[in-house]
Amino acid sequence: MPRSSFSDNPLLRVSRPVSACSRCRSAKVKCDGKLPACTACEKAGRENECSAANDQFARGKERSYVAALELRIEKMERRLAFARARKASLAQHASEPLPPPPPPPDRKDSLAKISAAMYRKAARNRENSDVNSLMSDFGFLSVNATTRDFEPSTSNMTFARLVLAAATNDPLPRDNNWSMPSRQTAITLIQHYMNHIYCLYPAFVETTLYSILDQFYSSQDHYIRDSDYWLLYMVLAISSSSQSQVKNDQYFIDGLYLASRALSHADQALMPGCTTQIQSLILLTQYSTLDPAHFDSWHLIGFTCRAVIDMGFHQDPPTEQLSDKSLLDMRRKTFYCVYSLDRSISMVLTRAFSFTDAAANVAFPRPQSFSRRASITGQILSGCEPALLLFQLRRAQSHWYQLLSQSDSTPLPDATFIWQMCHQMQEWNEMLPNTLPVAVRELFDLELRYSLVYCVSPSAKSPPLTDYDRVFIFEHAVAYLDRVCEIVHSGGGGGGGRNTTPTANFFCSYHDALRVFFMASQLVAVLRDAEDLLFPGGQLVTPPHYSDKVMPPPLPRRVPGAGYDNLERSIGCLERTASTLAKYGERWDDSVSLRRSFDVISQNVVERLRRRRQMRQQQQQQQQQQQQQQQPLQNMQNMQPHMGSDMRWVGVNMEAMMRGNVGGPRP
């Protein structure tokens, strides 16, 4: 089968950086490309004859995918022009009489034409073979985010336009009549971002943001780069959108217009080959979790991870290449921000990670790099220590999620691995410092409950659930859903508004609505399958015993009292979950469909629980009526002994008895 030409089937990946020298090529031996002479030429004593990577075979390395497409388009244009000319010629001579038949061809001329055609075909085959042989020396070219083919000067298609075309759901509105917030308002928004979002995702140096803010609101003219405009606009957009409580409120509208302003600088801000590209994509991904109507977070985190891999941020550089520890810490923070977002988004959407843990080799940033810092107003803010703790939790989540969801479907022999992962996450929670802000501690507690339920819940590899597992899921799911309901209805569901409680003041996105739906679906499944186990008051279940070294995680502690009954807790939790999703629906339209789906899956369970409660109430009423009917009989029975003791003295002369005639009758 003849090999296709390079223009018909361009080769797109790079496997080796150099081509073989001319001597190794002619001898058909492996060439390591070492300079100034390869190893094979050195052993043969022909160092001077080694052409290495600077001969004619190294030419054409700059051939890329775009060049191949241009060559193919050029060939197609020539064919199209020939076809059009032939069609015009046929149309012109259609009305003319047919020419006389040509004389029979000479045999010698026919053989000459056939030989010439065969020669041309052989020449084309040799050319194709030479091109393919040349390309095979350095493998398949890859189209990545660092190639110059995405620069605006080369073509009309830029990397930013490619990203936005793939990740945009609906276009953002134009900001024609909208004006930027005042400097004081911008400072307030930046402080909110630093307190509630930057402490979890420190993807850039905070002093850079403060200097950009000063230059932007300065009365003097300053040169501000497009990436700096992007940083300022997106931070303000994220901060404003995170404080929105209802769709189309002022926070929401300001966030839309700020993001629209940022997109005007996308071509340069998302320019491949720069660290600012990764930072800009991180900010756009954060905003997409707050505005799912306009952006798709799944596609954006995929582009961000691709940029991280193309830039080599998924591997720690050698020590001699990056000796500045502060730059190395910033590089690692940037990577783990992408890592954390990728793990969080993939788990919420139940999709595969963009890259596995085995493909990355990056150490955590130094703990001292997460130090306390002063804000633009001079106030001392808490450091980024929560970010390091979040990175550790994401690493633990990534470990068990890859095994349970992304590996083969061979089931585990028992739940030992799942229990180990639960113990590790609980130990992480127990080691949290007491100096954490209340809102961050609240966020970590919810993350822990969500992770525990996610890890224990049924999957392709997990063993069948036991009664202990069902009770474990029930307790954590009810506690999670009840706490989220309190936070959302207290005004903290938007990451902090004007009237929020301190415990509710943390970063909240549309993905929190997806987490609520997941936890509620797991609760509904447990109630449907283990109703007799949990009601009427919940039975004490013994955890299964598989190993002497690993024990099941303990059940969460629950204080007896109001709401201790499992039936009342379940009905109340399901009703509050519907209210929580309805509250999220006021902010995100996609949450309305979540509320409808929850109503469908929980309708039968709620009706059955309500009938059970009604039957129990009727039984209690009947017992009370029986007790009320038996009460007079019990009173009469209690009075009979007293009446008998009094009747014993009837007819007895008390005076005679006192004179000594005991028991004598009265006269």
Side-chain angles (χ1 to χ4, degrees), residues 74-86:
E74 184 179 355
K75 292 174 62 177
M76 295 298 295
E77 288 178 348
R78 289 199 300 265
R79 293 181 181 178
L80 183 61
F82 175 76
R84 288 175 178 173
R86 185 178 180 183

Side-chain angles (χ1 to χ4, degrees), residues 560-579:
Y564 185 76
D565 180 71
N566 283 344
L567 180 59
E568 295 295 336
R569 291 176 66 205
S570 302
I571 296 175
C573 182
L574 294 176
E575 293 175 349
R576 287 187 290 270
T577 300
S579 176

Side-chain angles (χ1 to χ4, degrees), residues 232-287:
L232 178 62
Y233 288 145
M234 289 307 300
V235 167
L236 296 177
I238 295 169
S239 179
S240 182
S241 299
S242 65
Q243 299 181 70
S244 173
Q245 299 292 328
V246 182
K247 185 180 179 182
N248 295 327
D249 62 3
Q250 192 60 43
Y251 282 122
F252 178 82
I253 294 174
D254 290 344
L256 282 180
Y257 289 139
L258 286 166
S260 180
R261 287 279 180 94
L263 292 184
S264 61
H265 305 276
D267 286 342
Q268 297 298 327
L270 302 181
M271 176 68 68
C274 304
T275 306
T276 54
Q277 178 204 21
I278 302 176
Q279 297 170 347
S280 301
L281 287 172
I282 290 174
L283 294 174
L284 185 57
T285 304
Q286 290 178 355
Y287 180 79

